[in-house]
Amino acid sequence: MTTEAQILEAARRLNKVTFKTPHSPHRGVSELAAGFSPSETVSLESLICSIRDRDTRSSQGKISILESAKEIVRQLESPDGRAMELLMSFSIVPTLKIAMDMGVFKMLAIRSRITASEIAHQAKAEEEFVVRIMRVLVSIGVVTILSVRTYGSTRLSDFFTVPANAAGICVVNDQALRAVSRFSEYAAAHSYHNPTNTLTGPFQFALNTFESWFSWLSTRPHEAANFNLFMTGFRNSKPAWPMQFPAESIIFSGIPSSQDSSVTVVDVGGGFGHDLSLFAEKSTRKPGRLVCQDQESVIATVPSELAAGIEFVAHDFFREQPVRGARAYLLKHICHDWPHALALSILKNIKVAMEPGYSKILIMDLVMPEGKVPLAAASLDVAMMTGFSGAEREEKLWMELVDDAGLSVRKIWKGQDGDGLLEVVLEEDKDDITTKPRLTIAG
Ligand SMILES: C[S@@+](CC[C@H](N)C(=O)[O-])C[C@H]1O[C@@H](n2cnc3c(N)ncnc32)[C@H](O)[C@@H]1O
């Protein structure tokens, strides 16, 4: 039984829910499932009932329970209580950063329970200060409190011991929060229009600079190391991209394995090559040549343990793509960093290198649903706007972008939580793509 059917069934039993159109009782429930609020609120009782019979083991069952549980919480909490909680959430990221810097998450991973005085001793901190920081972490469920001033680990505190996730705290605390710090002032001064210039956006306004975030990073090794490390594990709560999308069939379909020596994938702006490593790891056949391109400053710091099997090349994606006729050019979390005109330039610079009838561009980014999206996705869009004058795009904006580049979207693959993969081909290849492998690396 589907989620909608379960909610509806529970509603019928309780006879508590009336939907706007009496002749189409599914209406309110399907609006909810599509990310739109039903015209009339689904009652608390029916929401609670609807959870009862759901499968607690399947991921779909868990997602639907979580959605209903969130709606139950929303109905139970008072607006003033919730408003206060929202306003006071300013403390969360700095508190996480301080706890991480004091080594709390690592201590908890080793000991699983630890007292404030032990934390204070190990971190050379004042115990009363530790207690105040831990209070916030307990309230948001990052750690538990087992008895007075004694704390326990959770799955979240363990999560923040993973270096890429810890780097995420640093990037948000030291970089994204700074970029957003004068956002409302910036927005008012720009009459509430989307920023379109990467050198005069909210980031530059807040930091009093004319440097782009990426150029700012290129001269700050500590911040850059955190940024690049965060990217290697970004969203690692989700399945790896070659599992979320049928990467192998999109890339290999129709290519005989004898052509394994040609360039299969060029990861444009690929950071440390982590997405190519995942592709090679999940691939059931030899992946062929994999090329990772990024800025010189990033390529120079690729950790050697990540470099196996990948060719790393410094390349500015605002210049013509030197690898001609690769099967796939991957743009993962690239276009969202740039406003339309610059995202267009990135696409056009790849287009000239594409082999008609063979090459594809794989754009991986959020495809923003038009209804309700999770806070993480909505906030990521704000991070793109404030940090880079970029944007998370809805389907129609993606179509416009690809169309303006003189390319065609062959298919949009939908993944988890709004993740999307756009399979983009040359205009003339829209309906059919044959396999005519070529390999050249110019320059
Ligand atoms: C948001 S990160 C995405 C990294 C990776 N594709 C991923 O999904 O994890 C954007 C990447 O673009 C790179 N980048 C920024 N400007 C660039 C440029 N002009 N040429 C090449 N790479 C660039 C950054 O160094 C960074 O690695």
Side-chain angles (χ1 to χ4, degrees), residues 4 6 26 30 44 52 70 99 110 130 140 148 153 162 171 174 185 187 208 211 215 228 249 283 292 325:
E4 297 103 281
Q6 280 175 326
H26 285 271
S30 44
L44 196 54
R52 237 172 248 153
K70 283 181 185 168
I110 295 166
V130 170
I140 55 174
V148 177
S153 63
V162 175
V171 171
D174 305 343
E185 232 181 299
N208 199 17
E211 272 187 300
S215 122
N228 294 326
S249 78
S283 183
C292 179

Side-chain angles (χ1 to χ4, degrees), residues 394-405:
E394 290 181 356
E395 189 168 322
K396 96 174 155 4
L397 289 181
W398 280 119
M399 298 310 262
E400 258 173 54
L401 177 68
V402 172
D403 194 50
D404 286 356

Side-chain angles (χ1 to χ4, degrees), residues 75 150 157 193 208 211 245 339 352 369 404 437:
Q75 291 200 21
T150 305
S157 61
H193 278 58
N208 199 17
E211 272 187 300
F245 304 104
V352 292
D404 286 356

